[in-house]
Amino acid sequence: MNRPGVMLISMLPEIRNLGMLYLAESVRAAGHDAGLLFMTNERAKDRGGIAFAYNVDETDEELDNAVRFVAERKPDIVGLSLMTGHYHRSVALTKRLREVCPNTEIMWGGIHPTLAQEESIQHADSIIVGEAEDAMVEYLRRRAAGETPRDVGSMWFREKDGTIVKNEVRHLNQDLSTLPFPRWDFTDRWCLHGGKVVPMSDDLYRNYMHWRGELYNIMITRGCPYRCTYCCNASFINLYLRKGKLVRRRKVAEAIEELQHARRRFPFLRGIDIQDDSFLMSDDHYIEEFAKVYKREIGIPFYARTIPSYVTEHRIKVLKEAGLDHLQMGLEASERINKEVFRRPVSNRRFIDAAHVFHKFNVTKHYDVILDNPYATEDDYVDILNTLMACPKPYFLSCLSMTFFPYTPIWDRAKKDGKVEMAREGYADGIVNLKSTYLNHLIIVAPMTPTPLMRYFVDQRAKKSTQVAFEAYCKLVVQPYFTVLNRLRGSRYFFNLLKPAYFFLQRLRRGRDLVPAAPQGSPA
């Protein structure tokens, strides 16, 4: 049996592509050679090496070296994993690969090919739509056995005559225990570094991971039941309609096994980052079992994301006792926008109640909001500010610029309404580059501004004197803070300083604390 060789390429500028990592392990477990190249980029790192930009173009030299490396390996298949923001870079890399490796099949997978199928198949020889592990393993098995693989579910193919073969998406894998987790042995693993492709090492892993590799990323649950119009999950729900249960979770013992392996493999770990869309959507029995085993077997702080609807005092109490340190939760917009535009069934009251639960159990709070929305009015931004002022301090805040990702429901609506050009489109980077407006600036500084002062800035915003006072406040208080923060980010002590400062301020009386907003992408 002639097993085809595979070279998988992650287009993220960091080593955090969980989908690609799990896929590579599945391919390897099926008995195939599965090299993995990370298109990491030193220029994407922030000052402290803590977070990474979403997207940074490769130089011609970097592209040439990457393509030359792939050609020397002589794989039968090169698979690119990409999001929409990586589209133009992926097109450029694919073009170079075709010039140097004309007989190699180029396959695309990831979020963008899943949503933009017709567009993606114009560049790739084949694409995988949706979850890739089972489709990829079946495709490789068929090729190795000399069978025709053109009818593999979830795959599209572009024939030499331009004909497109479109196969129906396969049923979702309901048993996540069949999927092996990343072992991180770095065998046949490489990354771009210093303009060249070099073998992966522990030092390079720490260099190209968020928070210098001190947080381990894991997915315990797959799927999200919400249909938020700005999110790819809304399209996934339609894609997998009647194709199996969308929300699936791993057995507690299997998740703990991966975390135990990670702790042995990376003794410098200081925390676990659960990347599920909403870890708390598990039932109480699962959460109780996880908390009990995690506390006994792992015992280091962990971080998670949630939706307000799933927050209860019991769940937070149980998880806090097990090591829950940080919860990230989306406010996203005003109640009107959430309901009418985002189709997000979360009220302001529910969000505020969840925030108070976090505060009661001393869990670090991190909220997300989406600004620069062409559907939003001034009243909508004031509603966001009122909600934030009703939440107990301290908290961290990530502010993102409205981005219309192709083939999401809001992108379809914005095209019809002629609003696509009024916000960012997903092909361009810049999701954190906010417009410079008074209300945007108010929201950004909300975590670090005493509530009475925020109330003055909001209620008296129409007055020129208020705007002058706010500019002075930003100049005298906000800007010096960010100057100090940016300098600290370059220090190896930044991680150590941030948490104690947060919990010291958390003990201050509500409404009187002066708390800085966390840098983008920080785990607090």
Side-chain angles (χ1 to χ4, degrees), residues 445-456:
V445 305
M448 64 182 300
T449 304
T451 301
L453 185 56
M454 278 297 298
R455 177 56 60 196
Y456 165 75

Side-chain angles (χ1 to χ4, degrees), residues 213-216 256 259-260 262-264 266-274 290-291 293-303 319-326:
E214 294 180 2
L215 288 181
Y216 181 78
I256 296 299
L259 296 178
Q260 288 174 324
R263 291 215 66 188
R264 291 191 298 269
F266 302 121
F268 48 79
L269 280 182
R270 300 184 57 189
I272 305 299
D273 191 353
I274 301 174
F290 175 86
V293 181
Y294 183 94
K295 182 178 181 179
R296 183 181 71 238
E297 302 294 337
I298 307 301
I300 58 177
F302 69 94
Y303 311 84
L319 291 173
K320 176 65 179 180
E321 291 172 352
L324 174 64
D325 185 82
H326 174 108

Side-chain angles (χ1 to χ4, degrees), residues 177-191:
S177 65
T178 61
L179 305 177
F181 60 81
R183 295 291 174 173
W184 297 103
D185 60 5
F186 296 151
T187 302
D188 291 334
R189 302 292 186 261
W190 302 269
C191 69

Side-chain angles (χ1 to χ4, degrees), residues 166 177 191 358 400:
K166 305 176 183 179
S177 65
C191 69
F358 298 166
L400 307 176

